[in-house]
Amino acid sequence: MNMLVSAAVVGTAIPQAVVSAAGPDPILAAIETHRQVYEQLAKEVDRHSALESEIPLEKRQSEVNPWEDEFIVETDDPRWIASERALFTAFDAEKDAACALCDVRPTTRQGLLTLLNYALTHDKDGHSWPSALESGDTRNITRSWHHFLIENVTVALTMGFDEPALS
């Protein structure tokens, strides 16, 4: 890893002031939202895992997932059903917050660097970001989160920043 990337990953190359003439860079709020939502997801995963250890298998047959309607077994422990629903909601919220990072255009160089640094440091296992997202526009393409992040960065660099030019 080269020195510049290494410095950015540990945070030393990222300036703290991220304000443009128009105010705070909106990407900072999107990053903070994702950080909080991801924290909530981690808590739900921990709760779900604890219930897996506590509740017998025959009382945790219900499943909530994004691919089909809820499959609820009436004889399941109500805590399991609630946990399944909470886990699905948390995963959904995290995906939405991750997508917002691709939709909110950074308005400062520092905001752009903060976004890139966050994307690098958050993805510790190569599976932290959504992998099959649809563009939601007339292109109707399916790509990884990273593809849409690169698009967002490209737009930000092409359109320029809402900050005074360096001279």
Side-chain angles (χ1 to χ4, degrees):
M1 179 182 318
N2 72 37
M3 296 281 284
L4 179 61
V5 172
S6 179
V9 169
V10 296
T12 58
I14 307 298
Q16 295 303 312
V18 187
V19 177
S20 72
D25 193 323
I27 199 64
L28 296 181
I31 291 169
E32 185 55 31
T33 296
H34 184 268
R35 185 176 287 130
Q36 290 173 5
V37 168
Y38 188 79
E39 222 173 79
Q40 183 60 38
L41 171 61
K43 288 176 185 175
E44 290 300 334
V45 168
D46 288 346
R47 284 185 197 118
H48 195 267
S49 291
L51 286 175
E52 264 184 329
S53 299
E54 184 181 327
I55 300 171
L57 180 60
E58 63 272 4
K59 293 289 187 181
R60 51 183 173 86
Q61 297 300 305
S62 297
E63 184 178 338
V64 178
N65 62 56
W67 306 284
E68 57 190 62
D69 292 332
E70 290 183 349
F71 174 71
I72 303 298
V73 177
E74 297 300 324
T75 57
D76 272 1
D77 188 309
R79 295 173 301 159
W80 179 255
I81 297 169
S83 179
E84 277 285 307
R85 288 180 174 141
L87 189 60
F88 174 77
T89 299
F91 270 114
D92 205 35
E94 191 277 331
K95 184 181 85 176
D96 289 348
C99 289
L101 296 174
C102 295
D103 291 336
V104 175
R105 182 176 64 88
T107 58
T108 63
R109 278 184 196 84
Q110 294 88 354
L112 179 62
L113 289 171
T114 301
L115 171 63
L116 293 173
N117 189 53
Y118 181 71
L120 284 172
T121 58
H122 177 72
D123 192 12
K124 295 174 181 35
D125 62 0
H127 301 288
S128 294
W129 301 110
S131 60
L133 297 173
E134 294 179 11
S135 62
D137 57 20
T138 57
R139 298 175 300 167
N140 197 27
I141 60 172
T142 301
R143 300 283 189 272
S144 72
W145 180 88
H146 294 89
H147 172 88
F148 293 109
L149 175 71
I150 292 167
E151 273 189 354
N152 191 18
V153 168
T154 302
V155 168
L157 290 171
T158 302
M159 293 182 71
F161 300 107
D162 299 335
E163 57 190 15
L166 298 174
S167 49

